[in-house]
Protein backbone atom coordinates (compact mmCIF):
# COMPACT_ATOMS: atom_id res chain seq x y z
CA UNK A 1 0.00 0.00 0.00
CA UNK A 2 1.40 3.41 -0.97
CA UNK A 3 0.44 6.52 0.95
CA UNK A 4 0.62 9.97 -0.47
CA UNK A 5 2.55 12.76 1.20
CA UNK A 6 0.43 15.31 2.98
CA UNK A 7 1.15 19.01 2.44
CA UNK A 8 0.03 21.46 5.07
CA UNK A 9 0.24 25.25 4.77
CA UNK A 10 0.96 26.89 8.10
CA UNK A 11 -0.29 30.41 8.77
CA UNK A 12 2.19 30.50 11.64
CA UNK A 13 4.99 28.22 12.79
CA UNK A 14 5.79 26.95 16.26
CA UNK A 15 9.04 25.48 17.47
CA UNK A 16 9.36 21.92 18.70
CA UNK A 17 10.34 23.32 22.11
CA UNK A 18 7.15 25.41 22.34
CA UNK A 19 5.05 22.54 21.03
CA UNK A 20 6.35 20.29 23.81
CA UNK A 21 5.75 23.02 26.43
CA UNK A 22 2.11 23.31 25.27
CA UNK A 23 1.72 19.62 26.15
CA UNK A 24 3.61 19.96 29.49
CA UNK A 25 6.39 17.75 28.17
CA UNK A 26 9.98 18.42 29.18
CA UNK A 27 12.30 18.20 26.20
CA UNK A 28 16.09 17.99 26.21
CA UNK A 29 18.61 18.33 23.39
CA UNK A 30 21.22 15.58 23.61
CA UNK A 31 23.04 16.16 20.33
CA UNK A 32 23.60 19.50 18.62
CA UNK A 33 25.95 20.58 15.85
CA UNK A 34 25.93 23.86 13.91
CA UNK A 35 28.11 24.20 10.83
CA UNK A 36 28.52 26.18 7.64
CA UNK A 37 28.15 24.04 4.52
CA UNK A 38 27.76 24.25 0.76
CA UNK A 39 24.22 23.16 -0.03
CA UNK A 40 23.24 20.08 -1.99
CA UNK A 41 21.28 20.69 -5.18
CA UNK A 42 18.03 20.03 -3.28
CA UNK A 43 18.87 22.41 -0.41
CA UNK A 44 20.05 25.14 -2.81
CA UNK A 45 16.83 24.83 -4.79
CA UNK A 46 14.62 25.02 -1.71
CA UNK A 47 16.52 27.94 -0.15
CA UNK A 48 16.74 29.64 -3.55
CA UNK A 49 20.52 30.02 -3.36
CA UNK A 50 23.43 28.94 -5.53
CA UNK A 51 25.22 25.64 -4.89
CA UNK A 52 28.36 27.71 -4.34
CA UNK A 53 26.75 29.80 -1.57
CA UNK A 54 27.23 28.90 2.07
CA UNK A 55 24.29 28.05 4.31
CA UNK A 56 24.00 26.84 7.89
CA UNK A 57 23.20 23.25 8.83
CA UNK A 58 22.00 22.53 12.35
CA UNK A 59 21.59 18.88 13.36
CA UNK A 60 19.94 18.01 16.65
CA UNK A 61 18.49 15.09 18.58
CA UNK A 62 15.67 16.10 20.92
CA UNK A 63 14.65 13.74 23.71
CA UNK A 64 11.69 13.29 26.01
CA UNK A 65 12.19 11.28 29.21
CA UNK A 66 15.78 10.66 28.07
CA UNK A 67 14.60 8.83 24.92
CA UNK A 68 15.27 10.25 21.45
CA UNK A 69 12.03 11.55 19.95
CA UNK A 70 13.14 13.59 16.94
CA UNK A 71 16.25 13.88 14.81
CA UNK A 72 16.30 17.15 12.90
CA UNK A 73 18.50 18.49 10.11
CA UNK A 74 17.84 22.20 9.57
CA UNK A 75 19.29 24.35 6.80
CA UNK A 76 19.20 28.12 7.20
CA UNK A 77 19.85 30.76 4.59
CA UNK A 78 22.96 32.79 5.41
CA UNK A 79 21.36 36.20 5.95
CA UNK A 80 23.04 36.94 9.31
CA UNK A 81 26.18 35.64 10.99
CA UNK A 82 25.17 32.87 13.39
CA UNK A 83 27.43 31.50 16.14
CA UNK A 84 28.85 28.01 15.79
CA UNK A 85 28.68 27.25 19.52
CA UNK A 86 26.06 24.63 20.35
CA UNK A 87 24.85 26.42 23.48
CA UNK A 88 22.75 28.79 21.35
CA UNK A 89 20.73 25.95 19.83
CA UNK A 90 19.93 23.67 22.77
CA UNK A 91 16.48 25.20 23.18
CA UNK A 92 14.19 26.85 20.62
CA UNK A 93 15.94 27.90 17.41
CA UNK A 94 13.00 30.14 16.51
CA UNK A 95 13.16 31.93 19.87
CA UNK A 96 16.91 32.48 19.54
CA UNK A 97 16.55 33.86 16.00
CA UNK A 98 13.74 36.19 17.09
CA UNK A 99 15.38 37.44 20.30
CA UNK A 100 18.93 37.90 19.02
CA UNK A 101 18.55 38.59 15.28
CA UNK A 102 14.93 39.77 14.98
CA UNK A 103 14.30 37.01 12.43
CA UNK A 104 10.68 35.91 12.47
CA UNK A 105 9.39 33.00 10.47
CA UNK A 106 6.05 34.31 9.29
CA UNK A 107 4.53 31.14 7.88
CA UNK A 108 5.49 27.71 6.68
CA UNK A 109 4.72 24.63 4.66
CA UNK A 110 5.04 21.12 6.06
CA UNK A 111 5.11 17.92 4.05
CA UNK A 112 4.29 14.85 6.13
CA UNK A 113 4.88 11.18 5.35
CA UNK A 114 5.77 7.81 6.83
CA UNK A 115 9.24 6.49 5.93
CA UNK A 116 11.76 3.80 6.76
CA UNK A 117 14.82 5.17 8.57
CA UNK A 118 18.26 5.52 7.04
CA UNK A 119 21.21 4.18 9.03
CA UNK A 120 21.88 7.70 10.34
CA UNK A 121 18.27 8.09 11.53
CA UNK A 122 18.37 4.62 13.14
CA UNK A 123 21.53 5.56 15.01
CA UNK A 124 20.30 8.99 16.17
CA UNK A 125 16.86 7.76 17.25
CA UNK A 126 18.20 4.43 18.59
CA UNK A 127 15.68 2.38 16.61
CA UNK A 128 15.64 -0.81 14.57
CA UNK A 129 16.04 -0.75 10.74
CA UNK A 130 12.44 -1.65 9.91
CA UNK A 131 10.83 0.65 12.46
CA UNK A 132 8.89 3.26 10.49
CA UNK A 133 9.35 6.93 11.27
CA UNK A 134 7.20 9.96 10.79
CA UNK A 135 9.02 12.40 8.49
CA UNK A 136 8.18 16.09 8.41
CA UNK A 137 9.84 18.40 5.89
CA UNK A 138 9.34 22.07 6.71
CA UNK A 139 9.97 25.25 4.79
CA UNK A 140 9.53 28.54 6.60
CA UNK A 141 9.17 31.96 5.09
CA UNK A 142 10.12 35.42 6.29
CA UNK A 143 7.54 38.24 6.18
CA UNK A 144 8.70 39.16 2.63
CA UNK A 145 7.96 35.53 1.49
CA UNK A 146 11.68 34.69 1.25
CA UNK A 147 12.42 31.06 2.15
CA UNK A 148 14.65 31.05 5.22
CA UNK A 149 14.56 27.52 6.66
CA UNK A 150 14.44 24.01 5.28
CA UNK A 151 14.18 21.25 7.90
CA UNK A 152 13.90 17.50 7.69
CA UNK A 153 12.60 15.98 10.93
CA UNK A 154 12.34 12.29 11.77
CA UNK A 155 10.09 11.28 14.67
Amino acid sequence: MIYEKIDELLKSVISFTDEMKQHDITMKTTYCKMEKVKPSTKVATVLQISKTDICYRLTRVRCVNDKPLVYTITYLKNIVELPMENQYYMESLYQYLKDVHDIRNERGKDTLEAALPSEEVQKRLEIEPQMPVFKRVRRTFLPDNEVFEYSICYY
Side-chain angles (χ1 to χ4, degrees):
M1 186 179 292
I2 297 174
Y3 294 97
E4 297 293 321
K5 295 178 184 179
I6 299 169
D7 289 327
E8 183 178 13
L9 295 176
L10 308 170
K11 292 181 182 174
S12 64
V13 289
I14 184 170
S15 71
F16 177 76
T17 303
D18 289 339
E19 191 174 356
M20 292 297 101
K21 285 179 183 173
Q22 284 181 355
H23 297 287
D24 293 322
I25 296 172
T26 303
M27 177 278 313
K28 179 169 88 174
T29 301
T30 58
Y31 175 81
C32 180
K33 183 178 182 183
M34 173 62 98
E35 55 194 329
K36 289 182 179 180
V37 298
K38 287 195 176 180
S40 66
T41 301
K42 173 71 175 175
V43 172
T45 300
V46 172
L47 291 180
Q48 300 170 347
I49 60 176
S50 165
K51 283 180 57 178
T52 59
D53 288 342
I54 296 295
C55 65
Y56 291 95
R57 178 173 60 206
L58 175 63
T59 53
R60 297 187 289 184
V61 175
R62 319 301 286 284
C63 295
V64 173
N65 298 327
D66 294 321
K67 294 190 186 224
L69 178 64
V70 62
Y71 171 53
T72 305
I73 306 148
T74 300
Y75 296 91
L76 302 168
K77 194 177 276 189
N78 187 5
I79 61 173
V80 295
E81 190 67 29
L82 296 175
M84 295 293 106
E85 294 82 11
N86 296 340
Q87 69 199 41
Y88 296 100
Y89 311 106
M90 299 302 280
E91 297 292 328
S92 171
L93 172 64
Y94 293 169
Q95 192 66 49
Y96 167 78
L97 291 171
K98 180 178 153 222
D99 292 349
V100 177
H101 298 285
D102 198 32
I103 295 173
R104 300 167 194 272
N105 291 320
E106 189 77 11
R107 60 184 181 78
K109 180 181 180 184
D110 281 358
T111 301
L112 313 168
E113 66 180 305
L116 288 175
S118 66
E119 285 186 26
E120 178 70 13
V121 173
Q122 291 168 44
K123 176 182 156 192
R124 296 292 182 193
L125 292 180
E126 300 173 11
I127 59 174
E128 298 299 317
Q130 295 303 311
M131 182 177 216
V133 293
F134 178 71
K135 180 180 176 184
R136 180 182 74 194
V137 176
R138 172 172 284 178
R139 295 173 188 157
T140 62
F141 302 86
L142 299 173
D144 65 0
N145 289 323
E146 178 182 3
V147 178
F148 175 67
E149 171 203 11
Y150 173 56
S151 289
I152 304 102
C153 307
Y154 301 92
Y155 296 82

